Amino acid sequence: MVGATLSWTSRVLCAASWAAMAFGGAPVLPAEANEREVILFEINQLNHMIVPIELNGQAAAEGVIDTAATYPMIDRRTALAAGIPEPGDNAPQISVVGTLGVKEYSVVDIGAVKVGNVVLGSTRAAYNPTMKVEGAASNVLPLNLLGRDVVDFDFRNRKVFLYEGRPERIGGTASVTMKYVEENGLIFIPVRVNREKAFALLDTGSNVTYINPRLAEAARAKTNPEKTKILQGATGGYGALLEITTVRRCAIGGYEFKRADVLVSDPPLFELLGLAEEPAMVVGMDFLSEFRMQIDQSRKEITFTIPYRNMKGLGLKYASDRSDNLGIILGGSATRLKQN
């Protein structure tokens, strides 16, 4: 999407002293053992995921279930509507790592949170008085706050399912399951760009996918000057490197995108993740929303599926990568950036 910007998105790397507050402070209220919980959401015109949330039974707001966050965040407007007082000078602080660097936020008690039919117990969140990303929800719910074995993102039907056990098998689909690496609560998977290996952060809070210059160089990815000019004109310039490259092959989760348009940028995020000198990628909603994504938190596995009936429309066919895992080739139109 040419109009997308690499604005600040909430990603948190919590110190050990905060871990109990992040994950132990907001238990999911008990559900029946076999009950499946459902969260409805929308994907707006800027390709951001938007979920309805309710605080303390009185404040309706919008949020995002963010796979690249490990601590909740609430904006000032939502806090005021829910009767949550502004933090004082002595409020505890937490460092939030975002695309553009690290910011300090006060921590507040936000009471009970309802997301769909999922009710969270009393929890704490970083208090965001000013940060706003165009088109994105500034109330952030980390994946591991939802407290279920499986978080099942059905992007096509705009639903998130939460349940125990193993991911459901979906009939009429091609399916690839792979192990993921969890670092500081963040999910990383192996990817290839033009056959060059790298690790990628999964980020449902980002509307775009981007790679760092190290990966672009190693993969010999060529800049698309026309689309780069359009992008830079639309965003009014950007402090970090920002360009568009069209890669021959981009393999994500056992699937292969052919001639995909990808942003190249070098924001402070990569350095903060320890990936400044390594080939790296952030996989956002422009790619992820093409699939059904089932995250099995108990087994550290992730399953990507796509319906057979959608193959023809997206220009799909079967393929095998070098590790002999089933893969699927997607046409460049799946990246949502128009092809010449």
Side-chain angles (χ1 to χ4, degrees), residues 194 196 211-222 243 264 279:
N194 294 345
E196 185 67 29
I211 63 177
N212 67 358
R214 261 60 63 193
L215 180 52
E217 180 181 1
R220 298 182 180 179
K222 295 182 178 180
E243 62 185 33
V264 181

Side-chain angles (χ1 to χ4, degrees), residues 175-204:
S175 177
V176 176
T177 299
M178 63 190 306
K179 289 286 186 180
Y180 66 79
V181 175
E182 183 176 321
E183 291 288 341
N184 295 308
L186 303 176
I187 295 175
F188 293 86
I189 62 171
V191 296
R192 291 177 185 264
V193 175
N194 294 345
R195 300 190 185 278
E196 185 67 29
K197 294 181 180 180
F199 270 96
L201 171 67
L202 294 188
D203 189 356
T204 55

Side-chain angles (χ1 to χ4, degrees), residues 140-168:
V140 178
L141 301 172
L143 182 75
N144 43 25
L145 197 70
L146 300 177
R148 287 286 181 263
D149 288 345
V150 178
V151 181
D152 185 341
F153 291 89
D154 185 353
F155 290 114
R156 292 186 178 275
N157 293 307
R158 307 297 195 256
K159 295 178 181 179
V160 178
F161 300 102
L162 308 178
Y163 49 91
E164 304 295 348
R166 291 183 175 274
E168 295 179 349

